[in-house]
Amino acid sequence: MSFAPDVTEILARARADLRMGVPVVLSGAPGMLVIAAETLTAQRLSDLHALGGEPVLVITARRAETLKARCYDKDLARVILPPDAELGWIAGVSDPVDDLNTPMKGPLFTQRGGDVSAHRLAINLAKSALLLPAVVMLPLADPVGFASQNALTLIPTAQAEPLLAASPIPHPVVSARLPVEAHEKGRLHIFRPEDGGEEHYAFEIGSPARDKPVLARLHSACFTGDVMGSLKCDCGPQLHAALDQMGAEGAGVLLYLNQEGRGIGLANKMRAYSLQDQGFDTVEANHRLGFEDDERDFKLGAQILKSMGFSSVRLLTNNPRKIAMMEKNGISVTDRVPLKVGETHFNRGYLATKAAKSGHLL
C-alpha cells in the first residue's frame, strides 16, 4: 500500500510549485533544477548563483528568433546566464513587454550540443502551467538528494515526458438540466481532465440522436469576448450564434474548452494584447512571447464527444484545423457549417490575420 503520488499527480504538483515561484527538480544524470523565469524571486536567484555551476535560461525558438539569439536546439535555445545576471536581465529576455524600449538584449550566448530533452520537458511544463515559456535551469549531480534536502518536487523525467506530450483524458463528473435563452431543454455536462487541469464543459441542447451527425461547436473559453463583450475578437458573437442555431434546430452540442487565448491562458493573452497595442498582429505577438500560433489541444473535444456517444458531427467552425483534428481522432465531420459573425472595426485586422496566417475560412 502506498499513498505516494503517481507521475500525473507529481506533474500537477510541479505546475502549482512553478506558479508559486518554487523550484522543481528533474531526475536524470545529470538532474536539473528548474525555476520558472516569470515567478523567480531575487532571493532564489541569489541562492541559485551560490550553487555554482553553469545555469541557463531556456527559451523557445520563437522567443530566440525575436531576440536574434542563436538557436542550436531546433525548438528551444539555452541562453547562458551571466554570473552577475539579475532579475531584470532575466525578465528582459523572457518577457517582451519592453522589447521596443530596449530592443538590444545581448549579447546573448547560447549552448550547443548535448541532450536537451530535460530542457524541452521544462518548457512544456511551464506552458502547461500557463506561465511564460522560459525557465532557469541548473544541472545537479544528485537530484534525488537535492530535492529531498530542500523539500522540492522530484519529477521522474523519463516517465513524465510522454504524459506531457499526450492529451489528458477528460472524465465526466456530473450533468444537470440548464434551461437557457437559446433553448429551454438544455443540459450542462462537466468534464475533469485527469492531469488536474481546468475542467471543460459540454452543453447539450435537446436530445440529439447518437447515430446521426450532431450539430456541434468547439468553442475555446474567452473571458474577454464571452463575458466582457470584447470588440477585439469575434468569440462572444460566435458563442451566441452557435447556441441560437442549435436552439433553432432543437438539438446540438457546444463544447466549451477552457483553453483561453488559444491555449496560453488569460495572463499571457493580455500580454499579447499589450503587444498588439504596440503594432504587432496576434500571431506576431504570440511568437514574441515564445508561443506558437495556436497552443490549443482540440483532441479534448473529440474525446468528450466520443464519451457522450457521438461519432459524427456537423461542425460549426471557420477553422480547418478543428476539422482535421476531429477526423484524426475518430470523429467524422460530415459538414462544415460556417459561423461568420461578430466583425467590428476593432477586430478586422485580427480576423484578417486569422485568415491569412492561420487558414481560417473567412
Side-chain angles (χ1 to χ4, degrees):
M1 178 184 293
S2 173
F3 290 100
D6 63 21
V7 182
T8 296
E9 293 160 340
I10 290 172
L11 287 172
R13 180 182 292 177
R15 291 186 188 95
D17 288 346
L18 292 179
R19 289 179 63 84
M20 292 294 292
V22 179
V24 298
V25 175
L26 302 181
S27 68
M32 288 285 178
L33 181 67
V34 180
I35 314 177
E38 180 179 339
T39 54
L40 177 63
T41 63
Q43 182 59 58
R44 283 206 166 96
L45 178 58
S46 176
D47 293 343
L48 179 79
H49 283 308
L51 289 174
E54 299 181 351
V56 294
L57 174 58
V58 186
I59 57 177
T60 67
R62 292 295 190 186
R63 182 68 184 142
E65 182 182 12
T66 294
L67 298 172
K68 304 297 187 289
R70 289 188 177 275
C71 185
Y72 299 110
D73 304 320
K74 294 184 179 179
D75 56 339
L76 58 85
R78 294 165 288 161
V79 180
I80 298 172
L81 210 66
D84 59 347
E86 297 180 348
L87 277 183
W89 186 90
I90 292 173
V93 175
S94 307
D95 191 336
V97 63
D98 285 326
D99 278 1
L100 293 189
N101 294 330
T102 55
M104 300 303 293
K105 303 290 185 182
L108 300 178
F109 301 99
T110 55
Q111 288 182 346
R112 66 186 305 174
D115 184 12
V116 295
S117 58
H119 304 80
R120 184 170 293 114
L121 186 152
I123 285 288
N124 289 336
L125 186 60
K127 282 185 177 183
S128 69
L130 302 181
L131 297 169
L132 283 170
V135 292
V136 176
M137 300 182 67
L138 177 70
L140 297 171
D142 179 17
V144 176
F146 188 90
S148 178
Q149 292 165 15
N150 294 276
L152 300 178
T153 299
L154 177 66
I155 302 171
T157 305
Q159 298 174 53
E161 283 177 336
L163 286 178
L164 275 177
S167 295
I169 298 175
H171 298 284
V173 177
V174 67
S175 69
R177 188 175 65 87
L178 180 65
V180 297
E181 289 184 4
H183 200 281
E184 292 182 357
K185 190 176 181 181
R187 177 168 288 273
L188 184 62
H189 303 257
I190 309 299
F191 289 83
R192 184 174 296 153
E194 59 185 14
D195 67 349
E198 290 188 281
E199 293 166 349
H200 306 287
Y201 320 126
F203 187 68
E204 184 176 11
I205 287 180
S207 300
R210 268 47 179 179
D211 59 349
K212 297 179 181 178
V214 63
L215 183 63
R217 162 82 179 157
L218 272 69
H219 190 89
S220 298
C222 179
F223 172 79
T224 52
D226 299 342
V227 179
M228 303 302 294
S230 168
L231 301 177
K232 286 176 65 71
C233 66
D234 54 348
C235 302
Q238 284 188 327
L239 171 64
H240 295 289
L243 286 173
D244 288 343
Q245 187 162 342
M246 292 174 189
E249 294 194 14
V253 177
L254 186 137
L255 303 180
Y256 197 88
L257 307 180
N258 272 308
Q259 301 188 119
E260 181 85 40
R262 296 185 182 181
I264 65 177
L266 186 57
N268 286 319
K269 176 180 171 179
M270 289 300 97
R271 290 186 172 108
Y273 272 20
S274 180
L275 293 173
Q276 290 172 38
D277 289 341
Q278 296 178 27
F280 300 102
D281 67 35
T282 183
V283 171
E284 292 166 342
N286 272 24
H287 289 179
R288 294 187 79 86
L289 285 166
F291 295 104
E292 295 302 316
D293 303 18
D294 196 333
E295 298 273 356
R296 288 174 291 183
D297 181 4
F298 293 128
K299 295 177 186 176
L300 291 168
Q303 291 170 337
I304 290 174
L305 284 169
K306 284 193 283 189
S307 74
M308 294 178 68
F310 297 105
S311 60
S312 61
V313 295
R314 296 162 49 224
L315 197 60
L316 276 157
T317 187
N318 302 320
N319 187 352
R321 184 167 170 252
K322 290 183 180 179
I323 299 172
M325 190 58 71
M326 287 289 100
E327 295 279 1
K328 182 179 178 181
N329 287 277
I331 298 293
S332 172
V333 180
T334 62
D335 186 25
R336 182 185 78 86
V337 183
L339 194 59
K340 299 180 182 180
V341 293
E343 181 175 336
T344 71
H345 72 275
F346 289 98
N347 65 26
R348 286 196 184 101
Y350 164 75
L351 296 177
T353 298
K354 285 209 297 185
K357 295 187 176 182
S358 301
H360 286 228
L361 304 173
L362 299 173

